[in-house]
Amino acid sequence: KFGGSSMADAGQYCKIRDILQSDPERRVVVVSAAGKRDSSDHKITDLLYLCYAHTQYGVECDPVFEMITSRYLQIRDELQLSVDLETEFADLKKRLDAKKVSEDELASRGEYYSAKLMAAFLDFEFVDAADWIFFNMDGTVDKEHSYAALKRLGKGKGIVIPGFYGAMPDGRIKTFTRGGSDITGAL
């Protein structure tokens, strides 16, 4: 499991690759959203929560959303990956502006984008956490359902999973509390 500071920039992705290549048995990687690159920087998850708050109060969030997208595009471009994030960013922004994205779903996108990039960088399979971490209606993890789904994943190839979230019985994204990527890693 790699936290936010380990996902902060392209150089950190290279360090993760080196760690994984040093032990071929490491085939399941859980990642957090990009963290701070330095003390004056922002954590992506904080920016996503800020975007959500802005839209709920009718305040323009374009500059904040641009900070988020530019960070992931910079990582992608520095790693010379061909992952199409622009389409996903445009769709997310459209849904955000129309207030058709929940706070939990929006907050989870930092981990989601980190995992998409890391999977492409490592040539591992991307596995969306919403496809194997399932919550009960009371917000607790449905361990039986989740573990059964996990056992079907990653046969033969390494996988990268975004931490911090899963799916409710109705398919809505639900996040863990802050630090939830550690819970994903433990599961």
Side-chain angles (χ1 to χ4, degrees):
K1 189 272 175 187
F2 294 96
S5 60
S6 296
M7 302 300 298
D9 60 34
Q12 294 297 97
Y13 277 59
C14 292
K15 289 179 185 178
I16 291 171
R17 179 195 56 208
D18 294 345
I19 290 168
L20 295 170
Q21 287 178 341
S22 72
D23 182 357
E25 294 298 313
R26 293 180 175 143
R27 297 178 343 140
V28 178
V29 180
V30 176
V31 298
S32 294
K36 291 183 175 188
R37 295 167 287 194
D38 56 57
S39 61
S40 65
D41 203 3
H42 303 282
K43 295 178 180 179
I44 292 295
T45 302
D46 292 342
L47 295 175
L48 289 162
Y49 280 123
L50 184 59
C51 271
Y52 186 81
H54 276 54
T55 59
Q56 294 308 298
Y57 291 102
V59 176
E60 180 68 40
C61 78
D62 286 351
V64 177
F65 196 81
E66 174 59 28
M67 291 170 69
I68 296 162
T69 60
S70 66
R71 173 84 75 87
Y72 283 111
L73 294 175
Q74 180 181 10
I75 292 169
R76 181 200 63 192
D77 294 346
E78 287 180 12
L79 295 174
Q80 299 178 340
L81 301 172
S82 60
V83 178
D84 175 20
L85 294 179
E86 289 88 350
T87 301
E88 291 194 47
F89 288 142
D91 177 61
L92 181 61
K93 183 66 167 79
K94 183 178 177 181
R95 292 175 47 231
L96 179 63
D97 290 344
K99 296 184 180 180
K100 293 188 178 196
V101 62
S102 71
E103 183 176 36
D104 278 5
E105 182 180 359
L106 185 62
S108 76
R109 297 303 83 183
E111 279 76 8
Y112 174 88
Y113 295 128
S114 288
K116 291 280 254 192
L117 291 176
M118 184 58 74
F121 185 57
L122 298 173
D123 193 29
F124 279 21
E125 180 182 346
F126 168 79
V127 175
D128 195 339
D131 292 337
W132 79 270
I133 295 180
F134 300 105
F135 289 93
N136 295 306
M137 285 307 293
D138 66 0
T140 60
V141 175
D142 179 345
K143 290 180 184 175
E144 183 178 330
H145 190 197
S146 297
Y147 286 138
L150 181 60
K151 288 178 184 178
R152 294 188 294 270
L153 301 175
K155 303 292 186 199
K157 189 171 185 177
I159 61 174
V160 178
I161 303 170
F164 187 50
Y165 71 94
M168 292 295 288
D170 63 3
R172 286 179 298 120
I173 298 293
K174 169 146 178 56
T175 59
F176 290 105
T177 58
R178 290 303 278 255
S181 289
D182 291 335
I183 297 169
T184 306
L187 290 168

